[in-house]
Amino acid sequence: MDYKETLNLPKTDFPMKANLPSRELDILKKWKDLYKRVLKEKDGKEAFILHDGPPYANGNIHIGHALNKILKDIINKYNLLTGKKILYIPGWDCHGLPIERKVEKELRKRKLRKEDISKVEFRRMCRQYAERFVGIQKEEFIRLGVLGDWENPYLTMNPSYQATEVRELGRVFSRGLAFRSKKPVYWCIYDRTAEAEAEVEYAQRQDPSIYVKFPLVDSEDTYLVIWTTTPWTLPANLGIMVGEDYDYAFFKTPEGTLVVAEKLLGSFKRETGLEGEVVKVVKGKELLGLEYSHPFVDKERLRGHLEGDTLERIWKVYPSEFVELESGTGLVHMAPGHGQEDYTVGKRFGIEPYSPLDDGGRFVEPAPDFLIGLRVFEANGKIIEKLKEGGFLLHEDTITHSYPHCWRCKNPVIFRATTQWFIGMERKVNSETLREKSLKEIDGVKWIPSYGKNRIRSMVENRPDWCISRQRYWGVPIAVFYCKNCQSVVSDEAIFEHVAKLIEENPFGADLWFEKSAEELLPEGVACPKCGGREFEKEEDILDVWFDSGVSHACVIRPLGYDRADMYLEGSDQHRGWFQSSLLESVSSYGYAPYREVLTHGFTVDEKGRKMSKSVGNVVAPQEVVNRFGADIVRLWVVSEDYTEDIKLGEGILRRVVEDYKKIRNTFRYFLGNLYDFKPSEDRVEFKDMHHFDRWILSRLQRVLEQIHKHYRDYHFHRVNQEVRNFCITELSALYLDVLKDRLYVYAPKSWERRSAQTALYILATSLVTAVAPYLSFTAEEVWQHLVKIDGSLPDSVFLSEIPSPNESLTDEELEKDYGYLVRLRDEVMVALEIAKANGVVKHPYQAKVYIAGFEPVVEKYKDYLNYFLTVSQVELGSGGDELYDSEELKGLRVGVSHAEGKKCPRCWIFFREEEFSGDVCSRCAQVLSSR
RNA sequence: GGGCCUCUAGCUCAGCUGGUUAGAGCGUGCCCCUGAUAAGGGCAAGGUCGGUGGUUCAAGUCCACCGAGGCCCA
């Protein structure tokens, strides 16, 4: 007879092979309205708001996006599964340069430039482009299983968003934090337009290379020597920079005593052919403050053309960390209107940028007369001539070097001071400066990991004023007006509100700023508060995209009725980006940080720890992983590594993640396979009445749950995963479930032995499936659907359930202590069995009889269950056995192994003596069979 | 070049305030089972803690320098 048919073997239609790529699609259908349902379900519950940082609406998502959104999803779902209401509104960053450039490329295919069409037309094209990629990325995020309000995402190009942004700008203005000032930007003198850093292209170019001497005012025949390749910037020279710690030589020559960095003296002599002797050497520090005179600029001519006290400070020696001793003279000509570093150093010492050029790059007043009207590159020769005449030119040559060029017209660009709008770091927010208040707010925020605080702190401490204006088309306007009569700025909060309303009501939002005149945009009857003028011009500049996303707290969180988000979560690059722009904007506008916690993650790198790049060919696309293995594999990858560091990904790692996945999946499959005839409402065994082994595993489960909750709360997801995985492997699969087979399979279906075990399995299954749901979302839902069939009282999605808290009434400390010893004992018996196996005493544990001596007293308590626990046929307490093994782990313990007595029961496979048989099978089996 | 961070078995991670033979899971090797079966079980072998030099009675664990790598600046 085939006794296999009489056993309760596992039965389930939960497949071993996951086939996630297609199965997940079905689950997604089930989740279609899940966010809405969950919101309704948790109505009135405490809210958790993770505010989504908007990805840029360009291209498909890459693995970094996937990592970011999945981490957010895990945190959201953990909060959801512990009883909170989650408010998660995904967003996109839609304005800005990259889209403008894509659209310009499209235009060029049609032989058009952006100047050839209206701004509004151009903006429509940009909007369409952004819409397209919002759609694509949205589908990709949904496919990853990310739960959120995908039907109502926030887009920075939405009219309502733009309107709120304009209102926020109004708040910043009305608090006196915004101002206009000059700042050098890349400028194409042929296209007459500013260019972003990302727009310039570097190309080889030939330029003059000259050494110029500047006479010191208080020293006889002594000169500071500079080297430059842009003679045309000399009219805008306002200072000379040195390195404080460098050594400078006073070099006596026929040209006078020349000050040159000692280290560069050799190359200087070689290039200029000058000979002489070094009369002294001083540190750069000692040169600071020395005054020189300009070779061809008259100071009086500048009066009235320089901002603030700049005139008092010009033509002196200043320290700079930017001076290098690679080339030149170690003294650097400083023109704050024409150089980034010059500008930075100038600002530090109260020297405002100065640039006597028009938009076409021609010199204008108060440049020297001999230059007026000349274009910068034409002026080079005249300037050199002038220097030569005055005897200031030490050497002239040409150089071929890499120089920035316009990406459109391919001509060289210049760096030129232009008027920009700023938010001032030193402006006051109430009684403190924006910088001080922001630093204070940083202290009040929880940064995860903690070093994030230092990182953003040092950035806020050192950052310059925030330049918020851009000379571009695709963005939100800086909605201010200028009086045509007196040029003063009209930026009343009521006017911002008026414009915001217009934007809000327009289907194309801020487009109307560019189609309407100032008069149409202003409320009726506005007069200039200074001169009473009634004619105005509107500002044409738009806002920095960092301002767009920096106001998202006001556009997204406030309308929900909350004053700040619980958490921001982005890559560590956002310390400089979004975390900072949001902080500065929020502090400017409301006086406090927009977030309570900020969590940052690292970047994805390849298996060797190198950054992913197309040229290296080590890029892993999330879409590919999803199609090959499924989204749950991506999600499991996210929790398998510590995201605070670089997180590695490659074929080998994917293979391992897939292995881990199979183990967990099979554990669930085993639960389900053994619950096919279990109805919790009828068959459940009370904890106190359960088998001690079942009580033990449930008690262990409580400890595991405790750890899982702790690690989730600490955002240590890889530890959650390790906890779950180790529990599944070491305690469940290798021990509990293995030992349990006898009771599940052999006993009568409705027997206490089996029902007690099933009760434990049921609790394990429902606990673990919810615990794992935040990351293995698809699989958890799939398991859950099978559990619903077993227990109709369960909600119909795992996300409408909760992760159980550790339950004190399901713990038994004494039992855990007892089993602590029994498990160690079992390990030792396994070693003994392995030896017996090697020596041919037994092949399989069921063929063994085990003798145990030198054990601790607890063993007596569990004597009757011991053979099942050890998965052997017979156990005798006391000395004996053919193969002896003395434990090293448990000193005093001696394990003996012999071949089991009697014969194997064909039904339960355990060995019994003849007298223990009843017919063909053992008496235990006989009893089960007769009760059928 | 500067700021922040990382570097423990083949892989992913534990190792608190310095102190017995550095742990886990996976993978690998060998073996068992064929009643979780493209599953399950057992045993075993693998690190001297990126390198060097210090502090200390004692360092993976503190300090310095170097190297490799990441993010952000320049």
Side-chain angles (χ1 to χ4, degrees), chain A residues 588-609:
Chain A
S588 298
S589 185
Y590 301 99
Y592 52 82
Y595 36 65
R596 294 192 173 85
E597 289 185 317
V598 175
L599 188 149
T600 52
H601 59 257
F603 279 68
T604 50
V605 293
D606 74 8
E607 274 172 308
K608 292 183 191 121

Side-chain angles (χ1 to χ4, degrees), chain A residues 91-201:
Chain A
W92 275 274
D93 203 358
C94 302
H95 296 132
L97 182 66
I99 289 176
E100 281 199 25
R101 290 197 63 175
K102 293 274 187 201
V103 169
E104 276 190 79
K105 265 188 195 159
E106 289 295 311
L107 283 174
R108 271 201 291 180
K109 280 187 201 155
R110 288 155 46 188
K111 299 260 184 279
L112 289 170
R113 313 178 66 159
K114 70 173 172 180
E115 290 80 8
D116 298 333
I117 61 173
S118 73
K119 275 193 185 179
V120 170
E121 214 173 313
F122 184 79
R123 288 172 59 97
R124 294 233 158 109
M125 290 179 74
C126 290
R127 181 178 303 106
Q128 278 168 9
Y129 184 92
E131 271 167 1
R132 198 175 121 222
F133 282 101
V134 166
I136 289 171
Q137 293 189 0
K138 185 198 285 186
E139 289 311 312
E140 291 174 329
F141 287 135
I142 290 173
R143 179 63 188 85
L144 289 170
V146 178
L147 181 63
D149 196 355
W150 295 107
E151 285 173 31
N152 306 291
Y154 76 89
L155 309 185
T156 59
M157 64 180 178
N158 281 348
S160 62
Y161 192 102
Q162 294 175 328
T164 305
E165 185 171 344
V166 167
R167 290 188 181 101
E168 283 296 304
L169 187 66
R171 294 175 62 89
V172 172
F173 267 84
S174 68
R175 279 161 181 69
L177 289 154
F179 63 91
R180 283 217 292 180
S181 178
K182 283 195 167 177
K183 180 191 158 126
V185 297
Y186 283 112
W187 186 274
C188 178
I189 60 176
Y190 305 97
D191 291 341
R192 293 170 176 262
T193 176
E195 302 210 351
E197 217 149 319
E199 281 182 303
V200 301
E201 293 171 352

Side-chain angles (χ1 to χ4, degrees), chain A residues 665-891:
Chain A
R665 183 175 180 89
N666 271 318
T667 304
F668 281 118
R669 181 165 185 266
Y670 193 71
F671 290 149
L672 294 169
N674 288 100
L675 288 170
Y676 64 89
D677 64 339
F678 182 73
K679 286 274 157 262
S681 53
E682 298 155 30
D683 304 326
R684 193 178 191 118
V685 176
E686 287 301 312
F687 183 69
K688 62 175 170 46
D689 301 326
M690 288 171 84
H691 192 284
H692 54 78
F693 192 42
D694 302 329
R695 291 201 327 265
W696 169 72
I697 197 68
L698 291 182
S699 195
R700 285 289 311 137
L701 174 67
Q702 306 316 308
R703 302 268 172 263
V704 171
L705 283 172
E706 200 173 21
Q707 288 301 306
I708 288 173
H709 280 289
K710 179 182 183 296
H711 292 143
Y712 267 126
R713 282 194 298 264
D714 292 342
Y715 308 115
H716 290 157
F717 309 129
H718 68 290
R719 297 198 191 192
V720 172
N721 180 232
Q722 290 204 343
E723 188 74 31
V724 169
R725 193 207 310 144
N726 285 5
F727 184 62
C728 285
I729 290 168
T730 61
E731 289 181 279
L732 289 175
S733 195
L735 178 59
Y736 182 71
L737 298 178
D738 203 41
V739 170
L740 211 59
K741 286 175 189 168
D742 180 76
R743 263 198 287 145
L744 286 169
Y745 300 170
V746 174
Y747 285 87
K750 296 180 179 172
S751 64
W752 167 80
E753 287 86 350
R754 187 152 181 276
R755 290 308 192 206
S756 174
Q758 286 179 310
T759 305
L761 290 183
Y762 179 77
I763 294 171
L764 285 164
T766 51
S767 301
L768 290 175
V769 76
T770 50
V772 127
Y775 54 99
L776 282 175
S777 297
F778 289 95
T779 303
E781 188 68 282
E782 186 189 353
V783 171
W784 191 262
Q785 295 313 316
H786 284 77
L787 286 170
V788 170
K789 285 186 226 156
I790 291 163
D791 183 354
S793 73
L794 292 174
D796 72 351
S797 167
V798 67
F799 296 107
L800 296 170
S801 176
E802 288 193 9
I803 306 174
S805 299
N807 184 344
E808 277 308 306
S809 68
L810 296 184
T811 59
D812 186 332
E813 270 180 54
E814 196 189 333
L815 193 60
E816 281 194 60
K817 220 175 122 199
D818 289 354
Y819 266 93
Y821 181 78
L822 293 180
V823 169
R824 291 168 73 197
L825 175 73
R826 188 174 188 268
D827 288 341
E828 292 308 291
V829 171
M830 290 304 164
V831 176
L833 283 169
E834 202 64 25
I835 294 167
K837 227 159 69 179
N839 294 334
V841 177
V842 294
K843 279 188 82 177
H844 182 86
Y846 271 172
Q847 294 175 354
K849 172 172 182 172
V850 170
Y851 296 80
I852 302 170
F855 49 82
E856 286 185 12
V858 262
V859 173
E860 298 275 4
K861 256 161 97 177
Y862 303 93
K863 199 174 66 181
D864 293 340
Y865 193 59
L866 219 47
N867 70 300
Y868 298 108
F869 182 69
L870 301 173
T871 56
V872 297
S873 283
Q874 292 139 10
V875 172
E876 194 167 310
L877 298 184
S879 301
D882 299 335
E883 252 341 294
L884 297 180
Y885 166 73
D886 287 305
S887 169
E888 287 170 31
E889 286 291 313
L890 301 173
K891 47 186 190 315

Side-chain angles (χ1 to χ4, degrees), chain A residues 462-503:
Chain A
N462 298 315
R463 70 159 293 150
D465 290 334
W466 179 7
C467 177
I468 55 168
S469 52
R470 294 294 124 98
Q471 294 69 51
R472 309 217 66 90
Y473 291 7
W474 180 224
V476 174
I478 296 179
V480 297
F481 299 87
Y482 304 100
C483 172
K484 269 188 180 166
N485 182 43
C486 71
Q487 292 304 311
S488 54
V489 179
V490 182
S491 60
D492 188 72
E493 206 169 342
I495 294 176
F496 282 106
E497 177 56 36
H498 179 77
V499 174
K501 272 244 162 58
L502 292 177
I503 289 175

